Protein backbone atom coordinates (compact mmCIF):
# COMPACT_ATOMS: atom_id res chain seq x y z
CA UNK A 1 0.00 0.00 0.00
CA UNK A 2 1.23 3.53 -0.80
CA UNK A 3 2.01 6.16 1.83
CA UNK A 4 -1.28 6.38 3.75
CA UNK A 5 -0.28 8.76 6.53
CA UNK A 6 -2.39 11.64 5.16
CA UNK A 7 -5.22 9.53 3.85
CA UNK A 8 -8.28 9.02 6.03
CA UNK A 9 -9.74 5.64 5.06
CA UNK A 10 -12.46 5.50 7.73
CA UNK A 11 -16.16 5.15 7.05
CA UNK A 12 -19.29 4.95 9.13
CA UNK A 13 -22.79 3.54 9.10
CA UNK A 14 -24.64 5.95 11.36
CA UNK A 15 -22.74 5.81 14.69
CA UNK A 16 -20.75 2.67 13.81
CA UNK A 17 -17.26 3.72 12.74
CA UNK A 18 -14.90 1.46 10.78
CA UNK A 19 -11.18 2.12 10.11
CA UNK A 20 -11.57 1.10 6.45
CA UNK A 21 -14.55 0.30 4.21
CA UNK A 22 -13.75 -3.29 3.15
CA UNK A 23 -15.93 -5.92 4.84
CA UNK A 24 -16.57 -9.60 4.26
CA UNK A 25 -19.91 -10.46 2.64
CA UNK A 26 -22.40 -12.41 4.73
CA UNK A 27 -22.41 -16.08 3.82
CA UNK A 28 -18.93 -16.13 2.31
CA UNK A 29 -16.77 -16.20 5.44
CA UNK A 30 -18.92 -17.98 8.05
CA UNK A 31 -18.07 -16.32 11.34
CA UNK A 32 -14.50 -15.53 10.35
CA UNK A 33 -12.77 -18.66 11.72
CA UNK A 34 -11.33 -19.76 8.37
CA UNK A 35 -10.18 -16.26 7.35
CA UNK A 36 -8.49 -15.72 10.73
CA UNK A 37 -5.84 -18.23 9.61
CA UNK A 38 -4.84 -15.84 6.83
CA UNK A 39 -4.92 -12.34 8.38
CA UNK A 40 -5.86 -10.64 11.66
CA UNK A 41 -9.60 -10.00 11.42
CA UNK A 42 -9.18 -6.53 12.93
CA UNK A 43 -7.34 -5.41 9.77
CA UNK A 44 -10.51 -5.25 7.70
CA UNK A 45 -13.46 -2.93 8.19
CA UNK A 46 -15.72 -5.62 9.64
CA UNK A 47 -16.68 -9.27 9.48
CA UNK A 48 -20.28 -9.63 8.33
CA UNK A 49 -21.33 -13.03 9.64
CA UNK A 50 -23.36 -15.64 7.75
CA UNK A 51 -27.06 -14.87 8.18
CA UNK A 52 -28.21 -16.53 11.38
CA UNK A 53 -31.70 -17.83 12.08
CA UNK A 54 -33.59 -18.52 15.30
CA UNK A 55 -33.07 -22.29 15.19
CA UNK A 56 -30.25 -24.49 13.85
CA UNK A 57 -30.84 -25.34 10.22
CA UNK A 58 -29.32 -27.95 7.94
CA UNK A 59 -29.93 -26.11 4.66
CA UNK A 60 -30.88 -27.33 1.22
CA UNK A 61 -30.03 -30.64 -0.50
CA UNK A 62 -26.68 -31.06 -2.24
CA UNK A 63 -25.17 -30.19 -4.69
CA UNK A 64 -25.28 -26.63 -3.42
CA UNK A 65 -22.88 -24.90 -5.76
CA UNK A 66 -22.48 -24.67 -9.52
CA UNK A 67 -19.99 -22.76 -11.62
CA UNK A 68 -21.35 -20.24 -14.12
CA UNK A 69 -19.63 -17.88 -16.59
CA UNK A 70 -17.85 -15.25 -14.44
CA UNK A 71 -19.64 -16.37 -11.32
CA UNK A 72 -21.31 -19.13 -9.38
CA UNK A 73 -24.70 -20.24 -8.13
CA UNK A 74 -25.21 -21.17 -4.49
CA UNK A 75 -28.12 -22.86 -2.86
CA UNK A 76 -27.00 -23.21 0.76
CA UNK A 77 -30.40 -22.55 2.29
CA UNK A 78 -29.21 -20.61 5.33
CA UNK A 79 -27.49 -23.55 7.03
CA UNK A 80 -26.37 -22.52 10.50
CA UNK A 81 -26.19 -23.27 14.21
CA UNK A 82 -29.07 -21.05 15.35
CA UNK A 83 -28.85 -17.85 17.36
CA UNK A 84 -28.08 -19.34 20.81
CA UNK A 85 -25.00 -21.25 19.72
CA UNK A 86 -23.93 -18.32 17.56
CA UNK A 87 -24.03 -15.96 20.53
CA UNK A 88 -22.29 -18.48 22.79
CA UNK A 89 -19.46 -19.40 20.39
CA UNK A 90 -19.08 -17.22 17.33
CA UNK A 91 -19.35 -13.77 18.84
CA UNK A 92 -16.75 -14.50 21.56
CA UNK A 93 -14.40 -15.86 18.87
CA UNK A 94 -14.74 -12.68 16.80
CA UNK A 95 -14.29 -10.46 19.84
CA UNK A 96 -11.20 -12.35 20.94
CA UNK A 97 -9.77 -11.85 17.45
CA UNK A 98 -10.32 -8.10 17.45
CA UNK A 99 -12.95 -8.08 14.67
CA UNK A 100 -15.58 -5.43 14.28
CA UNK A 101 -18.78 -7.44 14.01
CA UNK A 102 -21.81 -6.96 11.81
CA UNK A 103 -24.31 -9.73 12.56
CA UNK A 104 -26.54 -10.78 9.68
CA UNK A 105 -29.97 -12.14 10.63
CA UNK A 106 -32.61 -13.96 8.57
CA UNK A 107 -36.08 -15.16 9.51
CA UNK A 108 -38.97 -17.18 8.16
CA UNK A 109 -41.49 -14.72 9.60
CA UNK A 110 -41.66 -11.16 10.88
CA UNK A 111 -41.75 -12.57 14.43
CA UNK A 112 -38.47 -14.44 13.82
CA UNK A 113 -36.73 -11.15 13.06
CA UNK A 114 -38.14 -9.68 16.27
CA UNK A 115 -36.87 -12.69 18.28
CA UNK A 116 -33.41 -12.45 16.72
CA UNK A 117 -33.20 -8.73 17.49
CA UNK A 118 -34.28 -9.42 21.10
CA UNK A 119 -31.55 -12.08 21.50
CA UNK A 120 -28.90 -9.74 20.09
CA UNK A 121 -30.00 -6.65 22.02
CA UNK A 122 -27.42 -5.90 24.67
CA UNK A 123 -24.82 -8.38 23.32
CA UNK A 124 -21.57 -6.44 23.74
CA UNK A 125 -19.13 -5.76 20.90
CA UNK A 126 -21.51 -5.56 17.93
CA UNK A 127 -21.12 -2.71 15.42
CA UNK A 128 -24.33 -3.16 13.44
CA UNK A 129 -27.02 -5.59 12.35
CA UNK A 130 -27.49 -6.67 8.73
CA UNK A 131 -31.14 -7.61 8.26
CA UNK A 132 -31.17 -10.11 5.40
CA UNK A 133 -34.66 -9.97 3.91
CA UNK A 134 -33.51 -11.16 0.51
CA UNK A 135 -32.18 -14.73 0.65
CA UNK A 136 -33.20 -16.35 -2.64
CA UNK A 137 -32.73 -19.89 -1.28
CA UNK A 138 -35.87 -20.28 0.78
CA UNK A 139 -38.47 -22.93 0.00
CA UNK A 140 -41.21 -20.38 -0.34
CA UNK A 141 -40.72 -17.39 -2.64
CA UNK A 142 -43.26 -15.59 -0.45
CA UNK A 143 -40.57 -15.48 2.27
CA UNK A 144 -38.28 -13.29 0.17
CA UNK A 145 -39.51 -10.28 2.11
CA UNK A 146 -37.43 -7.92 -0.05
CA UNK A 147 -39.62 -8.70 -3.07
CA UNK A 148 -42.66 -7.24 -1.28
CA UNK A 149 -42.67 -3.63 -0.05
CA UNK A 150 -45.18 -4.26 2.76
CA UNK A 151 -43.36 -7.34 4.09
CA UNK A 152 -40.02 -5.48 3.90
CA UNK A 153 -41.46 -2.63 5.92
CA UNK A 154 -42.94 -4.98 8.56
CA UNK A 155 -39.61 -6.71 9.18
CA UNK A 156 -37.68 -3.47 9.57
CA UNK A 157 -40.33 -1.91 11.81
CA UNK A 158 -40.20 -4.83 14.22
CA UNK A 159 -36.38 -4.88 14.37
CA UNK A 160 -36.29 -1.11 14.89
CA UNK A 161 -38.90 -1.32 17.65
CA UNK A 162 -36.97 -4.06 19.48
CA UNK A 163 -33.56 -2.42 19.15
CA UNK A 164 -34.62 1.17 19.68
CA UNK A 165 -31.52 3.18 18.77
CA UNK A 166 -29.10 0.57 20.10
CA UNK A 167 -27.52 -0.62 16.85
CA UNK A 168 -27.47 0.62 13.26
CA UNK A 169 -29.68 -1.53 11.04
CA UNK A 170 -28.42 -2.27 7.53
CA UNK A 171 -31.09 -3.93 5.40
CA UNK A 172 -30.01 -6.28 2.62
CA UNK A 173 -32.12 -5.98 -0.51
CA UNK A 174 -32.70 -8.22 -3.49
CA UNK A 175 -31.98 -7.17 -7.08
CA UNK A 176 -34.87 -9.44 -8.17
CA UNK A 177 -37.39 -6.59 -8.15
CA UNK A 178 -38.67 -4.16 -10.73
CA UNK A 179 -37.98 -1.04 -8.67
CA UNK A 180 -35.32 -1.36 -5.98
CA UNK A 181 -35.67 2.33 -5.09
CA UNK A 182 -39.30 1.73 -4.05
CA UNK A 183 -38.24 -1.10 -1.70
CA UNK A 184 -35.41 1.06 -0.35
CA UNK A 185 -37.92 3.81 0.34
CA UNK A 186 -40.11 1.44 2.39
CA UNK A 187 -37.28 0.13 4.56
CA UNK A 188 -35.74 3.55 5.11
CA UNK A 189 -39.04 5.00 6.23
CA UNK A 190 -39.48 1.96 8.53
CA UNK A 191 -36.19 2.79 10.28
CA UNK A 192 -33.27 1.35 8.30
CA UNK A 193 -30.04 3.26 8.87
CA UNK A 194 -28.28 1.77 5.86
CA UNK A 195 -28.73 -0.66 2.98
CA UNK A 196 -26.74 -3.65 1.75
CA UNK A 197 -26.92 -3.86 -2.05
CA UNK A 198 -27.16 -6.42 -3.56
CA UNK A 199 -27.95 -9.99 -2.59
CA UNK A 200 -27.54 -12.64 -5.27
CA UNK A 201 -29.84 -12.92 -8.30
CA UNK A 202 -32.08 -15.97 -8.54
CA UNK A 203 -30.73 -18.31 -11.22
CA UNK A 204 -30.63 -21.90 -12.45
CA UNK A 205 -28.16 -24.16 -14.25
CA UNK A 206 -29.25 -27.32 -16.07
CA UNK A 207 -26.75 -30.12 -16.64
CA UNK A 208 -27.11 -31.07 -20.30
CA UNK A 209 -25.84 -34.62 -19.68
CA UNK A 210 -28.26 -35.53 -16.87
CA UNK A 211 -30.76 -33.05 -18.36
CA UNK A 212 -31.75 -31.99 -14.82
CA UNK A 213 -31.03 -28.90 -12.70
CA UNK A 214 -27.48 -29.07 -11.30
CA UNK A 215 -28.40 -27.82 -7.84
CA UNK A 216 -30.20 -30.01 -5.33
CA UNK A 217 -32.44 -27.07 -4.56
CA UNK A 218 -32.90 -26.49 -8.34
CA UNK A 219 -32.54 -22.68 -8.12
CA UNK A 220 -29.72 -20.73 -6.50
CA UNK A 221 -28.26 -17.27 -5.98
CA UNK A 222 -25.95 -15.97 -8.71
CA UNK A 223 -22.85 -14.12 -7.47
CA UNK A 224 -19.44 -13.12 -8.81
CA UNK A 225 -18.24 -10.65 -11.48
CA UNK A 226 -21.21 -11.49 -13.75
CA UNK A 227 -23.54 -9.54 -11.45
CA UNK A 228 -21.32 -6.51 -10.77
CA UNK A 229 -22.98 -4.17 -13.31
CA UNK A 230 -26.36 -4.99 -11.74
CA UNK A 231 -24.97 -4.08 -8.31
CA UNK A 232 -23.38 -0.86 -9.57
CA UNK A 233 -26.68 0.14 -11.17
CA UNK A 234 -28.66 -0.58 -7.99
CA UNK A 235 -26.19 1.34 -5.81
CA UNK A 236 -26.21 4.28 -8.23
CA UNK A 237 -30.02 4.44 -8.36
CA UNK A 238 -30.48 4.14 -4.60
CA UNK A 239 -27.71 6.64 -3.77
CA UNK A 240 -29.26 9.10 -6.20
CA UNK A 241 -32.63 8.79 -4.45
CA UNK A 242 -31.26 8.70 -0.84
CA UNK A 243 -27.81 10.32 -0.83
CA UNK A 244 -27.64 10.45 2.98
CA UNK A 245 -28.26 6.72 3.54
CA UNK A 246 -25.02 4.71 3.68
CA UNK A 247 -24.84 1.73 1.33
CA UNK A 248 -22.78 -1.43 1.81
CA UNK A 249 -22.10 -2.38 -1.80
CA UNK A 250 -21.43 -5.93 -2.97
CA UNK A 251 -21.74 -8.20 -5.97
CA UNK A 252 -18.68 -9.54 -7.77
CA UNK A 253 -15.99 -7.27 -6.33
CA UNK A 254 -12.64 -8.93 -7.07
CA UNK A 255 -10.22 -5.98 -7.26
CA UNK A 256 -9.68 -2.48 -5.94
CA UNK A 257 -10.97 -1.13 -9.26
CA UNK A 258 -14.22 -3.06 -8.84
CA UNK A 259 -14.59 -1.66 -5.32
CA UNK A 260 -13.85 1.85 -6.56
CA UNK A 261 -16.63 1.56 -9.13
CA UNK A 262 -19.14 0.86 -6.34
CA UNK A 263 -17.77 3.67 -4.17
CA UNK A 264 -18.13 6.15 -7.05
CA UNK A 265 -21.70 4.90 -7.53
CA UNK A 266 -22.43 5.66 -3.87
CA UNK A 267 -21.24 2.83 -1.59
CA UNK A 268 -19.86 3.81 1.83
CA UNK A 269 -18.54 0.28 2.37
CA UNK A 270 -17.81 -2.76 0.21
CA UNK A 271 -18.39 -6.42 1.04
CA UNK A 272 -16.19 -8.99 -0.66
CA UNK A 273 -17.75 -12.43 -1.07
CA UNK A 274 -17.19 -14.82 -3.96
CA UNK A 275 -13.60 -13.57 -4.57
CA UNK A 276 -12.67 -14.94 -1.12
CA UNK A 277 -13.30 -18.52 -2.28
CA UNK A 278 -10.47 -18.22 -4.85
CA UNK A 279 -8.18 -16.11 -2.66
CA UNK A 280 -8.72 -16.02 1.11
CA UNK A 281 -6.63 -12.82 1.23
CA UNK A 282 -8.88 -11.07 -1.32
CA UNK A 283 -10.34 -8.76 1.33
CA UNK A 284 -6.86 -7.48 2.29
CA UNK A 285 -5.75 -7.20 -1.35
CA UNK A 286 -8.86 -5.20 -2.26
CA UNK A 287 -8.48 -2.99 0.84
CA UNK A 288 -4.95 -2.03 -0.23
CA UNK A 289 -5.73 -1.68 -3.94
CA UNK A 290 -8.70 0.59 -3.29
CA UNK A 291 -6.65 2.84 -0.98
CA UNK A 292 -3.95 3.16 -3.65
CA UNK A 293 -6.47 4.01 -6.37
CA UNK A 294 -8.10 6.68 -4.20
CA UNK A 295 -4.74 8.23 -3.27
CA UNK A 296 -3.64 8.19 -6.95
CA UNK A 297 -6.81 10.09 -7.82
CA UNK A 298 -6.03 12.78 -5.25
CA UNK A 299 -8.58 11.91 -2.57
CA UNK A 300 -7.43 12.65 0.97
CA UNK A 301 -10.41 10.95 2.60
CA UNK A 302 -12.39 7.88 1.56
CA UNK A 303 -15.67 9.68 2.15
CA UNK A 304 -14.92 12.32 -0.53
CA UNK A 305 -15.10 9.57 -3.15
CA UNK A 306 -18.48 8.17 -2.10
CA UNK A 307 -20.98 8.97 -4.85
CA UNK A 308 -18.41 10.91 -6.88
CA UNK A 309 -19.87 9.65 -10.17
CA UNK A 310 -23.04 11.61 -9.40
CA UNK A 311 -21.16 14.81 -8.63
CA UNK A 312 -19.01 14.74 -11.75
CA UNK A 313 -22.14 14.15 -13.82
CA UNK A 314 -23.77 17.24 -12.28
CA UNK A 315 -20.60 19.30 -12.74
CA UNK A 316 -20.29 18.25 -16.39
C1 LIG B 1 -27.95 -19.11 1.64
O1 LIG B 1 -27.60 -19.51 2.75
O2 LIG B 1 -28.74 -19.75 0.96
C2 LIG B 1 -27.43 -17.80 1.09
C3 LIG B 1 -27.90 -16.65 1.89
C4 LIG B 1 -28.34 -15.47 1.05
O3 LIG B 1 -28.09 -15.44 -0.15
O4 LIG B 1 -28.97 -14.56 1.58
Amino acid sequence: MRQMSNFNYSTNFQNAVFPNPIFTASGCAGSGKELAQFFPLGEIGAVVTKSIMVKARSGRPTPRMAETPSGMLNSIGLQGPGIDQFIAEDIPFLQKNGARIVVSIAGESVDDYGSLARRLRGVPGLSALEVNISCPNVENRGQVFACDPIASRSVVEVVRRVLGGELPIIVKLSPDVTDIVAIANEVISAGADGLALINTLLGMVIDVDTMRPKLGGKTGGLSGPAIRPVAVRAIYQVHQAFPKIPILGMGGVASGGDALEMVLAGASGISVGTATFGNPNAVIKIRDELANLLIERGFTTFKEAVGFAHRSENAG
Side-chain angles (χ1 to χ4, degrees), residues 290-307:
L290 176 63
N292 287 340
L293 289 170
L294 290 166
I295 292 165
E296 267 170 26
R297 282 157 179 73
F299 292 106
T300 54
T301 70
F302 167 74
K303 287 182 187 169
E304 286 168 51
V306 173

Side-chain angles (χ1 to χ4, degrees), residues 50-69:
K50 164 106 185 123
S51 299
I52 194 79
M53 303 192 78
V54 175
K55 296 211 172 85
R57 189 171 160 111
S58 52
R60 288 183 113 184
T62 56
R64 291 174 167 182
M65 283 192 172
E67 224 175 301
T68 60

